[in-house]
Amino acid sequence: MVKKAFLKGCSFAITLLVIIMALNSIFIIKSNHREKLLQGIYGNTEDQLDVVLLGSSHMNSGISPNILWNQYGITSFNYATGGQPIDVTYYILKDVIKYHKNPIVVVDLYYLGLTDEYGAEGYVRNVLDNVKFSFNKLDAIINCTPRNQWLNYIFPIFKYHDRWKELTKNDFEFDPTNAYYEKGFDAGIVEYGKENTSDTLATGTVDLLPKPEEYLNKIIALSKKEGFKLIFTSTPHDYNSTATSDHWETEPAKMFNKVAEISKNNNIPFINYNKMTDELGFDFKTDMFNTGHLNISGSRKVSSSLGGFLKENYTITDHRTDTEFKKWESDYQRYLKAQQTLIDNEENKSK
């Protein structure tokens, strides 16, 4: 009798869990971040990636996989998401390398400057709501979110249950394949129109805060353990954009100088594009979307520069003539058409 009741209880619990997990998927907010992570990590696992790109929105709008493909025949995917703290980046990376073995990993380190213990909830949810449940995700929830939010991250239905009034057909039939041709990249076409007000060539260093330094070292240790090559970057931005923030490193130029020291000590390239604007032919007024993010023009310059660095320093096969990679070329052509549509729409607005 007791055994039968126990089995019934287990059956009920499993059924309830299955229902909750299905509801999680329906009620989670559908965003471009959900598209890119579901498809980029789990959906196209047969794609051979030479390079994976990680970080916050600075990387999201910084390096275009389609430019790397068109100019160098490099296959890559941009897993960056808006406001992605460095601890969350570490856990995304662990998921990515489960499915894509030994790529060159490029991490933008803008978010080392965050001084809060945890990233903003909305930014953290950009990732944790949109990756599959696993022990790695559970570990990320425990280490990257406050304890009082753990249950809502494990079961997002508790967070989003009020959305039942606004659910649409897309919530029930969400298709993450729609934007795969962009390979995770997203940048605007508007020109910022202002100069960089910060001193990008400042000397001296400051120590990293304990948690960002811990996760930077975790990423380095993971690369050594798993055997993948690692590159750190910082895309062009105005350091003064965070000057009045109570949540940010007050001397970011010196922080990146410290990163350069750490990278050198670990034989990891660190490419600080803020110190390469002349070499890139980079014009802050026309190549930035705003004070912190590149536009299409700027991303093309930085992407081209990174591709040249990769070709010069690593053995990477040019896949452009390989028929097995013909989908990459068709995706590039679709990407070009989408970019032209954006440009045309912007021009029409200004008329």
Side-chain angles (χ1 to χ4, degrees):
M1 188 72 177
V2 174
K3 182 179 179 181
K4 187 175 181 180
F6 174 76
L7 291 174
K8 283 186 176 180
C10 288
S11 177
F12 174 77
I14 292 171
T15 301
L16 182 62
L17 184 60
V18 169
I19 292 172
I20 289 175
M21 297 306 287
L23 290 174
N24 283 341
S25 179
I26 293 170
F27 277 77
I28 284 172
I29 295 173
K30 309 307 182 292
S31 66
N32 61 340
H33 294 311
R34 184 165 181 79
E35 281 189 356
K36 70 187 287 181
L37 293 178
L38 287 180
Q39 195 64 16
I41 298 177
Y42 316 106
N44 282 63
T45 55
E46 76 281 0
D47 279 2
Q48 174 189 323
L49 296 180
D50 301 314
V51 176
V52 298
L53 308 160
L54 297 110
S56 67
S57 56
H58 283 217
M59 174 62 88
N60 189 46
S61 63
I63 307 296
S64 170
N66 275 294
I67 298 300
L68 295 180
W69 166 260
N70 175 251
Q71 295 187 5
Y72 301 99
I74 293 171
T75 57
S76 62
F77 196 92
N78 192 324
Y79 295 97
T81 58
Q84 186 184 120
I86 190 69
D87 52 354
V88 176
T89 298
Y90 168 72
Y91 288 104
I92 279 195
L93 176 57
K94 290 186 73 175
D95 246 19
V96 168
I97 61 175
K98 289 179 187 176
Y99 301 96
H100 302 285
K101 300 300 182 184
N102 296 321
I104 298 170
V105 175
V106 185
V107 184
D108 188 86
L109 296 179
Y110 171 72
Y111 249 79
L112 280 181
L114 182 68
T115 57
D116 295 339
E117 182 177 2
Y118 303 110
E121 181 182 357
Y123 290 150
V124 174
R125 285 192 177 278
N126 282 342
V127 176
L128 296 187
D129 281 352
N130 298 315
V131 295
K132 291 184 177 181
F133 194 82
S134 65
F135 285 114
N136 184 53
K137 177 173 178 173
L138 185 61
D139 200 23
I141 291 170
I142 292 170
N143 288 289
C144 302
T145 70
R147 182 185 293 269
N148 63 2
Q149 294 181 14
W150 288 357
L151 189 62
N152 284 350
Y153 276 99
I154 295 172
F155 302 112
I157 181 64
F158 298 147
K159 170 74 175 179
Y160 300 119
H161 64 277
D162 286 342
R163 285 196 68 232
W164 68 270
K165 300 176 184 178
E166 60 187 60
L167 294 177
T168 67
K169 182 179 179 181
N170 186 51
D171 288 298
F172 293 90
E173 300 177 3
F174 182 70
D175 183 2
T177 66
N178 289 330
Y180 183 71
Y181 71 94
E182 295 175 330
K183 304 295 190 291
F185 170 77
D186 183 25
I189 61 173
V190 173
E191 295 179 356
Y192 178 49
K194 299 179 183 179
E195 297 284 1
N196 189 345
T197 64
S198 60
D199 180 8
T200 59
L201 302 179
T203 59
T205 64
V206 293
D207 289 336
L208 303 183
L209 289 172
K211 188 172 184 180
E213 183 172 24
E214 175 190 357
Y215 277 89
L216 181 66
N217 287 329
K218 281 178 176 284
I219 290 172
I220 294 171
L222 186 64
S223 73
K224 294 176 179 178
K225 177 183 176 182
E226 300 294 336
F228 60 80
K229 297 178 176 64
L230 191 59
I231 299 171
F232 294 140
T233 64
S234 175
T235 59
H237 62 282
D238 191 332
Y239 293 147
N240 288 331
S241 62
T242 53
T244 60
S245 174
D246 295 330
H247 308 280
W248 214 261
E249 167 60 53
T250 58
E251 298 182 285
K254 294 183 178 181
M255 178 188 77
F256 287 120
N257 290 342
K258 183 64 175 181
V259 169
E261 285 187 358
I262 294 171
S263 300
K264 183 177 180 181
N265 290 338
N266 287 278
N267 297 313
I268 298 168
F270 171 51
I271 310 173
N272 188 344
Y273 288 107
N274 252 339
K275 295 187 175 184
M276 297 173 58
T277 52
D278 289 343
E279 178 182 332
L280 295 173
F282 192 93
D283 186 332
F284 211 82
K285 291 185 294 184
T286 59
D287 291 327
M288 297 294 292
F289 179 79
N290 55 29
T291 187
H293 303 91
L294 306 183
N295 61 22
I296 291 294
S297 172
S299 69
R300 188 179 299 114
K301 292 176 181 180
V302 174
S303 300
S304 180
S305 176
L306 177 64
F309 178 85
L310 291 168
K311 277 294 191 180
E312 183 176 342
N313 292 278
Y314 302 89
T315 303
I316 303 179
T317 301
D318 185 340
H319 302 292
R320 286 175 293 184
T321 59
D322 190 334
T323 56
E324 290 187 10
F325 291 83
K326 60 183 180 181
K327 183 66 166 58
W328 285 80
E329 182 58 28
S330 62
D331 282 348
Y332 172 70
Q333 295 301 326
R334 186 178 174 188
Y335 164 82
L336 284 183
K337 290 179 181 178
Q339 294 302 314
Q340 189 58 53
T341 299
L342 284 177
I343 293 170
D344 292 343
N345 289 342
E346 190 62 31
E347 289 177 349
N348 289 334
K349 285 181 186 177
S350 61
K351 289 180 180 179

